[in-house]
Amino acid sequence: MSRDAILAAARTYQGVPCPLPTVPEFGPASNDALLARFKEVLEQVGGRWVERTAGGDLVGIVRQHYPDATRIVSALEDLPISTVTIGADSTPDQLVRIELAILRGRVGVAENAAVWVDEAQLPHRALPFVAEHCVLLLDPGNLVADMHAAYAALAGGDYGWGAFVSGPSKTADIEQALVIGAQGPRSLLVVFDSSGTSLTGA
Amino acid sequence: MNPDSHAAAAASFLRDAERTGWHDRAIWFVRQKRDIAARSVPEWEELRGLASAIKRHTMSHLALYLEAFERSARRNGVTVHWARDAAEHNDLVLGILRARGARRLVKSKSMLTEECRLNPFLAGNGIEVVETDLGERIVQLAGEEPSHIVMPAIHRKKAEVAALFHRTLGTREDPDPAYLAEAARQHLRGLMASADAAMTGVNFAVAETGAMVVCTNEGNADLGAHLAPVHIASMGLDKVIPRTEHLGVFLRLLARSATGQPVTAYTSHFVRPRPGAELHVVIVDNGRTAQLARDDFRESLHCIRCGACLNTCPVYRRSGGHSYGVTVAGPIGAILAPGFDLAAHASLPFASTLCGSCADVCPVRIDIPRQLYRWRQIAVASGQVSWSKRVSMRLLGATLASASRYERAGRLLRRLLRRVPRLIGHPALDPWSRSRELPVAPEESFREWYRRERRTR
């Protein structure tokens, strides 16, 4: 059986055991510095951001940025702007016609503007990729400095699928020319929303 | 393949000097972006050291971590398959597709499936295969192989892509990259929405959790995998890492080294199948445990396929990926390929100046030049180099090994070269001089001058 042959070969040839290093913590930063860094990197990777003030009008923000969107899916409860309902059994045909997906991110990473989304917050895994445009709500209290801190913040979370999303879909496959909106979303808007409950470790 | 195959293939690439220069500059630009990204991380060198040590540890416990990954993946409801070689991998994939009656397969970029020649195999068995990464789709439509592991179509100019899309997709012949990418988007999204199965590669497989991490910028791996009823992930057995926390180290290095981005747009973690869908993983050996057995070359398995060594290599940039004749080109390919088939790829370790730039940029600090040098020794010892190289190197070795022979040879050559200037360095005999001119031979050597001066004082 191939499995046993491969494992036997690996065991025979893997050589002298070498130690596993400990990954240290790298420079912590203040929350203000994290937010400024996140915004700066997000702009570099082609994303945009807006701050939602306490009790601010989320629908207004969405309308302002995406005035023409009509087929809108919201993964947030009770957002009156949602026009399409998506579930685990939605078909590819239904999914690919979505114009705007409004989702909640769990953790944001300052060094690379990546926002973690996972199955627990989504009606369908395809949503962050299939929508023409994507809005991610993120509590600035859930920002961390780097990827080490991000995985530490996500530890213990039980998800069947999850992803870091950093800016919109992009390609530079034709002569290194950057094109925003390859196969996935053409734009990504991060809404800093401190009115939601903290989701870290939820 | 003849012993000079890389040089011969590179010569045909170099015939178009304008294109060679363009290729060189386009790829050097990526290297510069990498430098800026690396310098923005204060702990960059510490991360490289950690990455190297984690890989070394993992390889020295490979069986343990492969079994742990298998256990975790099975617990997650993932079907785990093992393939000793390309043929078994391809048969397994075809078997999964046939069991589901799948006719159309969408694929995100996977160098492993290129290595296994999966696409022609599936096409021959009636499966429609669609590459969904833009660069991969370009080379697929052109009937080519990728020339770069990260930027598959880097050798193609936009006007050529425009002509290709005009012919194959019916677009107008407009070389604007935005127009071409939009045309590909419409074309590919339609195909992904109607696929029967999706395939992806695996960048990292976490033994502790069974998570398979896939990095893309276009979002195509996720679109394919989340829309199709079956997802097959193909992974080389060198992709396993011990724990989730190690992802932090590798993901900070990968995209910065590859394209200078702080991270890819999408870093997806596949753990359990989507409700109602299937998730398979094929763990492939295909020569990797044989490479593990070679003490001198085990470290080549640490590679995370960022492509930084290709972008920095003066030979790669001026010879093009296709000149290597293997899936993984460039310096890393030149130390991997001889392990698969020394006779076929013996010229590749010589496609280097041993300048060491590849080792300087490698995010997992693989000592590529040392392994290139070792492969050269093995190639020579097993008679895999040309007659002219063997004889000239033996002659040069004998000359340089003795001070008196060196001095005599110098005197002789200086005298001969003054009389017959192109005696050596004749373009017909010496390839090195085809674009170089030898300086005029001096009257005497420094040592001769020094001895003369001492006598006259």
Side-chain angles (χ1 to χ4, degrees), chain A residues 144-183:
Chain A
V144 296
D146 56 31
M147 292 298 276
H148 312 293
Y151 281 112
L154 293 166
D158 179 40
Y159 50 87
W161 171 87
F164 286 105
V165 176
S166 171
S169 159
K170 56 181 75 68
T171 183
D173 274 348
I174 299 175
E175 278 201 24
Q176 283 293 296
L178 177 68
V179 179
I180 301 284
Q183 271 64 273

Side-chain angles (χ1 to χ4, degrees), chain B residues 164-217:
Chain B
L164 174 72
F165 279 13
H166 176 65
R167 199 174 73 238
T168 53
L169 305 181
T171 53
R172 62 172 197 269
E173 240 179 300
D174 181 344
D176 175 18
Y179 169 74
L180 295 168
E182 178 64 28
R185 174 189 175 93
Q186 300 304 334
H187 162 70
L188 289 170
R189 280 175 67 98
L191 291 168
M192 287 191 278
S194 56
D196 303 309
M199 273 192 91
T200 67
V202 175
N203 289 93
F204 305 99
V206 184
E208 172 187 48
T209 62
M212 294 174 275
V213 177
V214 180
C215 306
T216 71
N217 277 316

Side-chain angles (χ1 to χ4, degrees), chain B residues 7-227:
Chain B
S12 81
F13 181 80
L14 286 164
R15 267 199 289 275
D16 186 344
E18 192 271 326
R19 179 186 284 268
T20 310
W22 166 80
H23 187 267
D24 181 18
R25 285 188 300 275
I27 291 174
W28 183 250
F29 175 61
V30 186
R31 156 72 207 267
Q32 289 175 311
K33 287 196 293 182
R34 172 259 168 219
D35 288 351
I36 294 166
R39 284 177 200 135
S40 75
V41 179
E43 57 270 21
W44 184 256
E45 290 306 319
E46 196 176 350
L47 289 173
R48 290 177 72 207
L50 282 167
S52 174
I54 294 165
K55 281 287 184 181
R56 184 162 290 115
H57 165 83
T58 310
M59 287 304 148
S60 72
H61 298 80
L62 186 58
L64 176 87
Y65 285 121
L66 285 173
E67 284 178 299
F69 172 75
E70 180 192 43
R71 251 192 326 274
S72 306
R74 289 210 165 126
R75 192 177 55 229
N76 294 334
V78 177
T79 312
V80 182
H81 311 263
W82 299 76
R84 289 170 87 160
D85 54 26
E88 188 173 13
H89 166 265
N90 295 351
D91 284 337
L92 277 166
V93 172
L94 181 63
I96 297 165
L97 297 175
R98 286 216 166 129
R100 298 286 310 220
R103 304 240 293 275
R104 174 179 291 159
L105 172 72
V106 292
K107 282 179 67 208
S108 69
K109 192 152 69 67
S110 154
M111 287 302 121
L112 175 60
T113 60
E114 297 279 353
E115 173 189 317
C116 292
R117 301 279 175 266
L118 176 70
N119 290 9
F121 171 80
L122 291 180
N125 282 284
I127 306 284
E128 181 199 355
V129 181
V130 179
E131 294 287 349
T132 60
D133 172 81
L134 176 56
E136 281 283 342
R137 188 61 174 160
I138 291 169
V139 294
Q140 185 185 31
L141 290 173
E144 292 183 314
E145 312 268 319
S147 69
H148 189 291
I149 55 176
V150 173
M151 302 168 286
I154 190 71
H155 59 289
R156 284 284 163 216
K157 295 195 171 187
K158 57 190 177 188
E160 294 169 325
V161 178
L164 174 72
F165 279 13
H166 176 65
R167 199 174 73 238
T168 53
L169 305 181
T171 53
R172 62 172 197 269
E173 240 179 300
D174 181 344
D176 175 18
Y179 169 74
L180 295 168
E182 178 64 28
R185 174 189 175 93
Q186 300 304 334
H187 162 70
L188 289 170
R189 280 175 67 98
L191 291 168
M192 287 191 278
S194 56
D196 303 309
M199 273 192 91
T200 67
V202 175
N203 289 93
F204 305 99
V206 184
E208 172 187 48
T209 62
M212 294 174 275
V213 177
V214 180
C215 306
T216 71
N217 277 316
E218 300 180 7
N220 58 312
D222 284 275
L223 270 172
H226 302 322
L227 294 179

